[in-house]
Amino acid sequence: MVTLLIKRFVPSISSPSSAHSLSSRITPLRVGAFAAASIVLSVSYSAHLTLPRRLFSTSHVSFPTMATVNLTPPQEPLAWKHTPEQIRDKTNELIRDGRKFLDTIAALPEDKCSFDTVFKALALHEAEFDTLSEPLSFYQNVSPDSKLRDASNEAEKLLRDFGIESSMRLDVFQALKRADKNIRAQGVGLTSEEARLVEKMLLDGKRAGLDLSDTEREKLLETKKKLSETCLEFSKNFNEEKGTISFTKEELKGVPEDVISQYSRSTSVGGQPDKYAVTFKTPDIFPIFKSAQNPLTRQRASEAYENRLTQNVPLLRRAIDLRWEIARMLGYETWADYIVEVKMIKTSPNVMQFLDNLVKKMKVIGEKDRVALLKLKAEELGDKSDGKFYIWDYRYYDRLYIEKTLDLDEAKIKEYFPVDVVVPAILKIYQDLLGVVFVEITKDVDRADVQVFQVWNKDPQSPSDFLGYTYLDLFPRESKYGHAAVWPLISGFTKKDGTRNYPVTAMVANLAKPVPGKTATMRHDDVVTFFHEMGHVFHGLLSHVTFNRFHGTSVARDFVEAPSQMLENWCWEPEVLKLMSKHVETGEILSDDLIDKLIKSRYVNAGLYFLRQLFFGKFDMELHTKLVDKDYNELWSDMRETISLVKSGQEHTAGPGTFAHITGGYDAGYYGYMYSLVFSADMYKTVFASNPLSPDSGKKYRDSILKPGGSRDEMDSLKEFLGREPNPEAFLESLEAKQFKSPSA
């Protein structure tokens, strides 16, 4: 998932960013008024990069065949040396200077308002502000230093409030309208991207409520700030969750030993068995869901996992109530109507129709899946089976079904995917496919568990072939963001002097860490997730636009996942699986027989998988299209049972408090994961299916999809790439085959 950036000075009011979810994050979401800056929720650079120990810690993936380039990048690296005091001082300075800049724009007389003096000036200031503010708010997601995290979080609050304040600057909006009037009257010729900038900035002002009265605008501003604060508190709780649940070795029966060895063990007294403390981080808790043989263990783990953020449920209700207030102030019937107005799908009834149609189709398949897994449960438990299918049964019997029907043992498959083989292999695949090279920077980062790369065009001849920088921060640590996500930290854009500002992307993940004497391995699901996230990394690196608001993943939210979803297909291709695999002991690659079984496993129980995704989408839209009085936890359980066909326990859990997407930029937007599959399936089948590793197809993808970012309508990019209008045929065919069992959707 791509992280959401909250852009200031470009009016809009969607909620703050979050890190992806079920597995990834997304595109810039603007909540500001008209010029510069992004806050990242939910890191380059040259051989002289210095990373302070307080920002990152230890572990490393070796890249023995990484390229070398004897050229100096045209852009200096970021310096991650801020103290908490510096973060606070710099934030206040940025806000103070930002206000002064907006004052100068607002004071322009009508005859001085033009594209260059207003629209372009605001866009450049936005880009410059972003470049300075992004690092300040990023520390909260990765730093083990609580004082830095707190200062970063405080900075983000200030920056968001300033963004909302800026978005409500009527005087700046009036300057934009004066400039637009002059552009039209004088017949000024604009490029297509410049014309799009004008269109979007004016629309942002309207959607921000700048046509309201002074009193109404003041109330709207106050409500927006309350919403921002509420969503930020939700996100902070999510990032800083440190809960654990303890089990005995007997209760963990079935969980792989290499997983148990990473749990914290406490010695009991009085003859009681030792306990193992399990965190709610993915590498710790998910193996219990999938492998613990004792159903009570799985139930306890599942319920504790869903209850880990009970304090977020009232925050979610408050955020929903505030959104409804804002929607009414702006003249929209529902919050969903406001949100989807600027999406590819256009209207909330279209969203509901799309979701309802898919639920109807997938229930036919999902019910068959449920019956098959219940049969397996009955065979295993005999008279002890109650004939019901619970949420804590799903992953366990899904794995068991695959093992029994395909003779495919996930634990054995993991042995073919060591982290230090998979990560370099995936980077090489992307490099060859897209015509780029990664150059690892080793100076001053040899003891950090973050790796830093320069990225260049293949066979670079001059500094102009430089593309940007990227971080890989792959292993868990305390207080670090807990899932897998990509942050488009710095955008690419054309600076005031005509030179280029180069992008910076960061992948933050939580792969299993190596332990003494034991190589860290990845589940195949983890491999797919990593491949997906790298797709977002390259969307950020290979976009080339004039204005930063259109850079990379700054596309319609219901399209942004399509490129990375398409790229997941590579993880099911025999040729690619052989490139990424190497057994931890024998060094053998995956055999043809294992590859065949693995590919077949993709289609197993796809009905239940998709119904789970559709439940999330329907729950999201339920809250944003209807006034819901019902207890959110009860609604969550009831809708999950009705749509996903899985039961909860006797007590309703606080699942809504863990639904980070809904306060992180996916509000009235979770449907987009499924919606974008329509495009991703068409893109893959049409261009890549016959030869997935073709550099020619990779170049076409780079030029038609990645390069333009959001600088043109997404449909135009799709039509150029496909050579025709997109259609749902490939997607519908995949549904019939029960395909796309993707862990990162």
Side-chain angles (χ1 to χ4, degrees), residues 518-671:
K518 195 79 173 179
T519 302
T521 57
M522 301 169 67
R523 297 174 304 134
H524 183 256
D525 282 359
D526 297 328
V527 176
V528 178
T529 296
F530 191 88
F531 213 100
H532 174 108
E533 298 301 333
M534 285 305 300
H536 290 312
V537 166
F538 280 101
H539 206 164
L541 289 171
L542 300 182
S543 175
H544 196 109
V545 296
T546 301
F547 303 111
N548 84 319
R549 79 165 285 163
F550 298 131
H551 180 81
T553 52
S554 301
V555 295
R557 189 62 53 79
D558 48 5
F559 177 72
V560 72
E561 289 293 333
S564 283
Q565 286 172 328
M566 178 197 73
L567 290 160
E568 292 178 16
N569 287 283
W570 274 249
C571 298
W572 304 95
E573 289 288 346
E575 181 182 2
V576 177
L577 285 167
K578 290 182 178 181
L579 291 173
M580 294 191 297
S581 62
K582 183 179 180 181
H583 195 275
V584 290
E585 294 179 358
T586 67
E588 296 177 348
I589 63 174
L590 278 169
S591 66
D592 290 338
D593 180 56
L594 279 177
I595 287 174
D596 181 61
K597 291 176 180 179
L598 184 62
I599 292 172
K600 287 178 179 176
S601 76
R602 185 185 191 186
Y603 314 143
V604 173
N605 302 323
L608 287 175
Y609 170 78
F610 275 119
L611 287 173
R612 176 173 168 79
Q613 301 308 307
L614 290 166
F615 152 64
F616 290 132
K618 289 279 286 182
F619 181 81
D620 173 25
M621 292 301 290
E622 184 79 7
L623 298 187
H624 292 115
T625 59
K626 300 176 184 177
L627 293 172
V628 176
D629 292 327
K630 192 173 184 178
D631 177 79
Y632 280 10
N633 295 344
E634 183 181 356
L635 178 67
W636 176 273
S637 295
D638 290 349
M639 289 188 69
R640 180 165 63 186
E641 182 172 342
T642 301
I643 298 168
S644 300
L645 307 180
V646 295
K647 288 184 174 295
S648 302
Q650 294 296 319
E651 301 295 330
H652 299 305
T653 57
T658 69
F659 195 11
H661 301 72
I662 211 166
T663 60
Y666 283 88
D667 41 301
Y670 197 92
Y671 76 89

Side-chain angles (χ1 to χ4, degrees), residues 494-513:
T494 301
K495 294 189 286 189
K496 190 176 298 185
D497 62 4
T499 61
R500 180 161 172 74
N501 191 82
Y502 293 89
V504 181
T505 61
M507 183 198 289
V508 176
N510 285 273
L511 303 179
K513 254 188 178 180

